[in-house]
Amino acid sequence: MRQIQFNDQPTSIIGMGTWRIGEDPSKGSAEIQTIQYGLNHGITLIDTAEMYGEGAAETLVGEAIKDFDRQKFQLVSKFYPYHATPKLIKNSLEHSLKRLQTDYLDLYLLHWRGETPLAETISGLVDMKKAGYIKDFGVSNFDINDLKELYSVPNGDQCKVNQNLYNIGSRGIEYSILPWQKEHDISFMGYSPFGSDKNAYLHPQEIITDMANQKHITIFQLLLAWVIRNNDLLSIAKTSSLEHLKDNLGSIDVRFTDDELELLDKYYPAPTKETPLDVI
Ligand SMILES: NC(=O)c1ccc[n+]([C@@H]2O[C@H](COP(=O)([O-])OP(=O)(O)OC[C@H]3O[C@@H](n4cnc5c(N)ncnc54)[C@H](OP(=O)(O)O)[C@@H]3O)[C@@H](O)[C@H]2O)c1
């Protein structure tokens, strides 16, 4: 498995997403098997949230990981912006840990910005870190100005990751967010490499199919391989299917020539100016 330095430790370049997992009981055992296959085949990060199925995704992840060595993978969860005060963070975290059948999270993220002042949220997260319930914390769906503001509040510079949408059709973060995060040593997690369910947030053009055919890979392998092409960020992909997970793991070995990357840039250009953050 290809690894990158993420959250100050070697981590698989692909993580497993869990949005819309655990919601259909008839798929439960297949979903558990899929997560376990991923952990047994080198994936060392699982991403979840209290929002996903209102706890159902965390419950399913808890079942899947309970017999694994907890120190061998990172568990990331997120809390709602309307649970972002110190008291409510503690309450959400206690519920998440219970559902996940674990006693700590590696990373706890503010899912997106809400009304609570950042200073208050960070103070609650620092408390949870001191208490040992979380190893570290971060944010999600933060634009460049949000990140700068975060850095201006007490302990805001303890933020370890920002998780934003990133796929070939949504490249805005390349302009200033990614460089800024590198400069400040904040790891980047890209979500929805396939544009989410049914590619709803990415419209694969013919070039994707043509190039995938030429390279004898699937469209999904091409899309994921493109996101991780520079080895500088972690991509979280979701699947409920073991066959799809095996397919996605195949993207690790896919490499692009300079010509191929240039051709893709013509259809999906890199940003040349600041653009508002794309969010799902
Ligand atoms: N922080 C945030 O605000 C935020 C927002 C969105 C997502 N996320 C995180 O990022 C994760 C990934 O994003 P996402 O779930 O939106 O979408 P995604 O990973 O871009 O796409 C998931 C979709 O692709 C399908 N798929 C996956 N591999 C496939 C393959 N090899 N062949 C065919 N279909 C395949 C899945 O169907 P099957 O399940 O049937 O394979 C599912 O419909 C989420 O699960 C979540 O953990 C975070």
Side-chain angles (χ1 to χ4, degrees):
M1 169 63 71
R2 224 154 101 199
Q3 296 200 322
I4 51 161
Q5 195 67 8
F6 172 89
N7 187 26
D8 295 334
Q9 53 203 293
T11 310
S12 57
I13 195 157
I14 294 174
M16 289 185 277
T18 63
W19 190 18
R20 304 190 183 92
I21 271 179
E23 295 179 14
D24 177 351
S26 71
K27 286 190 184 165
S29 60
E31 290 175 337
I32 287 175
Q33 204 197 351
T34 304
I35 292 172
Q36 293 177 338
Y37 184 94
L39 291 177
N40 282 326
H41 289 79
I43 297 185
T44 58
L45 184 140
I46 300 173
D47 177 78
T48 189
E50 65 173 344
M51 185 190 102
Y52 301 160
E54 294 301 326
E58 289 182 328
T59 301
L60 186 128
V61 171
E63 276 303 303
I65 65 173
K66 64 182 180 193
D67 294 328
F68 280 76
D69 181 350
R70 183 63 189 81
Q71 290 174 349
K72 293 208 166 132
F73 63 94
Q74 295 185 59
L75 195 49
V76 184
S77 193
K78 317 182 201 80
F79 53 96
Y80 278 118
Y82 49 84
H83 290 162
T85 61
K87 196 172 157 202
L88 294 177
I89 286 175
K90 183 164 186 283
N91 186 54
S92 282
L93 181 55
E94 281 169 358
H95 284 99
S96 286
L97 291 176
K98 200 164 173 206
R99 287 189 289 262
L100 288 162
Q101 304 190 40
T102 187
D103 49 13
Y104 73 94
L105 294 178
D106 294 273
L107 284 164
Y108 201 29
L109 315 185
L110 170 60
H111 208 147
W112 64 91
R113 270 197 88 166
E115 301 297 314
T116 309
L118 285 177
E120 224 183 293
T121 302
I122 297 302
S123 130
L125 287 167
V126 169
D127 288 348
M128 293 301 93
K129 200 171 148 179
K130 281 188 189 140
Y133 296 132
I134 59 175
K135 296 249 191 229
D136 277 298
F137 60 79
V139 293
S140 178
N141 297 304
F142 266 43
D143 210 336
I144 188 70
N145 292 331
D146 300 313
L147 289 170
K148 288 178 180 166
E149 189 183 329
L150 177 68
Y151 250 54
S152 74
V153 308
N155 297 313
D157 60 357
Q158 284 187 36
C159 170
K160 298 301 275 289
V161 312
N162 178 28
Q163 180 182 124
N164 284 354
L165 176 66
Y166 184 50
N167 61 46
I168 198 169
S170 231
R171 298 183 62 173
I173 58 104
E174 290 173 28
Y175 189 74
S176 60
I177 294 178
L178 198 55
W180 195 89
Q181 288 194 204
K182 281 182 188 167
E183 195 185 320
H184 293 83
D185 200 20
I186 302 179
S187 298
F188 186 87
M189 298 175 89
Y191 68 70
S192 307
F194 312 127
S196 209
D197 212 16
K198 302 184 180 61
N199 309 117
Y201 295 85
L202 162 67
H203 305 291
Q205 302 179 42
E206 240 175 78
I207 181 69
I208 303 282
T209 319
D210 292 348
M211 193 179 287
N213 286 340
Q214 245 170 33
K215 292 172 82 65
H216 305 292
I217 58 175
T218 67
I219 292 174
F220 285 81
Q221 287 176 330
L222 186 142
L223 292 174
L224 189 49
W226 182 89
V227 171
I228 58 174
R229 69 201 178 286
N230 292 327
N231 261 331
D232 60 349
L233 53 84
L234 185 142
S235 178
I236 23 174
K238 176 265 172 184
T239 178
S240 296
S241 142
L242 186 53
E243 285 321 302
H244 290 173
L245 178 65
K246 289 179 183 172
D247 189 39
N248 297 343
L249 284 170
S251 65
I252 299 282
D253 299 321
V254 174
R255 292 285 194 274
F256 295 96
T257 63
D258 289 346
D259 286 348
E260 286 171 339
L261 288 174
E262 261 176 44
L263 185 59
L264 290 171
D265 282 347
K266 280 192 188 140
Y267 289 85
Y268 297 98
T272 52
K273 59 179 172 41
E274 202 70 73
T275 45
L277 184 67
D278 283 341
V279 172
I280 290 188

